[in-house]
Amino acid sequence: MAADTLAPAKINLFLHVGPPGADGYHPLCSLMVFADAGDRVMLQAGDALDLKVRGPFGAQLAGEGDNLVLRAARALLATAKGPQAPHAFVLDKRLPVAAGLGGGSSDAGAALRLMREQVSPRLGDAELEAVAASLGADGAACLWARPVLAQGRGERLSPAPGLPILEAVLVNPGVTVSTPEVYRRFDAGGAFGEVEPPPMPEAFESVEELAGWLASTRNDLEAPAVALAPAIGDVLATLADEPEALIARMSGSGATCFALCQSEVEAETLAERIMAMKPDWWVQRCRLGGPWD
């Protein structure tokens, strides 16, 4: 028995963040979509619950301790109860680490889907979603990897508006950004955003319409992230200066940024040009939406 699935990159098309509550958590509002590119997670028979990591960014996870894939598997087994045969995971780490792409949460979501399919097929969606939500703010959204509007701490999900095909380019300058440090800078600045969902149509008819609407939104963590890692600002400026980019923005708490393009050809052209200009940057041509496999 062996099965594998995509753990897609998560992209925050916008991210509005409010002031921290008494518990220290920030309320947010974000339109999340998922890329047809990401890590891959494989589940296979094994002698014990185990995880092997490989891939171009696998070395960055060495020594990180308790990976979210294993935490997700243990949480599902505890929920399912009963005797279980041991299984082992292989994580092909293709996304940069600490990159604002929800990589760990998406890996965990992929692991949960595989475990339910192969080990606990009677486990209901609600139980699986509760396990995913317990693993972190992005856990619930990353379980099914569908476009969603996320609120609260990220656990309150509602369907996203209808979206056209989104041709995009993801760019990471090769730096990692600490999410807690970004939030500390954000709090120190005191420029908290409105977290009520902005008015939006039931569906966007074109990527141009969506990009125009996104221009009225923001990523509230972008400025503190750029202050911590000026290379993010270099990426944003580079993308914004290219004719194919309808809009350029940072995802999550950074450091990955994205550009939406009008067509597949324009996205491919932009990706090739950025790779030629900045060979040390990670550049990924993709489509945004979801779910994918």
Side-chain angles (χ1 to χ4, degrees), residues 220-264:
D220 287 330
L221 300 183
E222 196 170 273
V226 169
L228 277 172
I232 299 172
D234 295 340
V235 172
L236 290 168
T238 299
L239 288 174
D241 203 37
E242 298 304 313
E244 296 86 2
L246 297 174
I247 188 169
R249 180 165 286 168
M250 188 184 80
S251 179
S253 58
T256 306
C257 303
F258 67 90
L260 298 183
C261 301
Q262 188 176 37
S263 69
E264 184 177 1

Side-chain angles (χ1 to χ4, degrees), residues 83-120:
Q84 302 285 350
H87 290 79
F89 289 95
V90 177
L91 170 59
D92 187 2
K93 191 64 186 170
R94 303 179 186 181
L95 295 176
V97 177
L101 298 174
S105 295
S106 193
D107 294 342
L112 289 175
R113 296 193 302 274
L114 288 173
M115 286 284 285
R116 201 260 293 267
E117 177 186 330
Q118 300 293 329
V119 180
S120 302

Side-chain angles (χ1 to χ4, degrees), residues 54 78 85 95-96 99 150 163 186 191 221 245 283:
R54 65 190 186 196
L95 295 176
L163 298 171
F186 176 65
L221 300 183
V283 180

Side-chain angles (χ1 to χ4, degrees), residues 6-10 34 38-41 51 61 64 66-73 91-113 131-132 135-143 179:
L6 178 70
K10 173 227 57 173
F34 293 84
D39 301 333
R40 290 205 74 89
V41 179
L51 172 68
L61 296 181
E64 84 159 347
D66 201 15
N67 187 280
L68 269 171
V69 167
L70 291 178
R71 287 172 54 192
L91 170 59
D92 187 2
K93 191 64 186 170
R94 303 179 186 181
L95 295 176
V97 177
L101 298 174
S105 295
S106 193
D107 294 342
L112 289 175
R113 296 193 302 274
V131 173
L135 299 171
D138 286 341
C142 288
L143 174 61
T179 296

Side-chain angles (χ1 to χ4, degrees), residues 18-275:
D23 57 4
Y25 287 95
H26 296 73
L28 60 84
C29 182
S30 181
L31 181 56
M32 297 180 179
V33 292
F34 293 84
D36 63 354
D39 301 333
R40 290 205 74 89
V41 179
M42 177 184 291
L43 178 64
Q44 56 195 15
D47 297 327
L49 186 60
D50 185 34
L51 172 68
K52 294 181 180 178
V53 182
R54 65 190 186 196
F57 294 98
Q60 293 187 20
L61 296 181
E64 84 159 347
D66 201 15
N67 187 280
L68 269 171
V69 167
L70 291 178
R71 287 172 54 192
R74 285 195 292 267
L76 183 142
L77 292 174
T79 298
K81 302 185 175 68
Q84 302 285 350
H87 290 79
F89 289 95
V90 177
L91 170 59
D92 187 2
K93 191 64 186 170
R94 303 179 186 181
L95 295 176
V97 177
L101 298 174
S105 295
S106 193
D107 294 342
L112 289 175
R113 296 193 302 274
L114 288 173
M115 286 284 285
R116 201 260 293 267
E117 177 186 330
Q118 300 293 329
V119 180
S120 302
R122 295 182 180 178
L123 199 68
D125 285 356
E127 292 172 294
L128 200 64
E129 289 164 6
V131 173
S134 73
L135 299 171
D138 286 341
C142 288
L143 174 61
W144 305 121
R146 301 186 185 109
V148 290
L149 184 71
Q151 295 175 263
R153 298 180 187 177
E155 83 289 356
R156 286 169 41 210
L157 305 178
S158 54
L163 298 171
I165 293 174
L166 301 179
E167 305 290 350
V169 178
L170 309 182
V171 182
N172 185 291
V175 299
T176 58
V177 180
S178 164
T179 296
E181 184 58 33
V182 170
Y183 271 99
R184 278 193 287 271
R185 293 236 176 180
F186 176 65
D187 289 346
F192 303 116
E194 173 59 59
V195 292
E196 286 301 312
M200 64 186 81
E202 290 187 6
F204 292 95
E205 299 301 322
S206 66
V207 65
E208 292 89 348
E209 181 188 6
L210 174 64
W213 179 81
L214 285 173
S216 67
T217 66
R218 60 197 185 275
N219 181 341
D220 287 330
L221 300 183
E222 196 170 273
V226 169
L228 277 172
I232 299 172
D234 295 340
V235 172
L236 290 168
T238 299
L239 288 174
D241 203 37
E242 298 304 313
E244 296 86 2
L246 297 174
I247 188 169
R249 180 165 286 168
M250 188 184 80
S251 179
S253 58
T256 306
C257 303
F258 67 90
L260 298 183
C261 301
Q262 188 176 37
S263 69
E264 184 177 1
V265 170
E266 294 199 350
E268 191 66 41
T269 299
L270 175 60
E272 290 176 356
R273 187 183 307 119
I274 297 297
M275 284 189 282

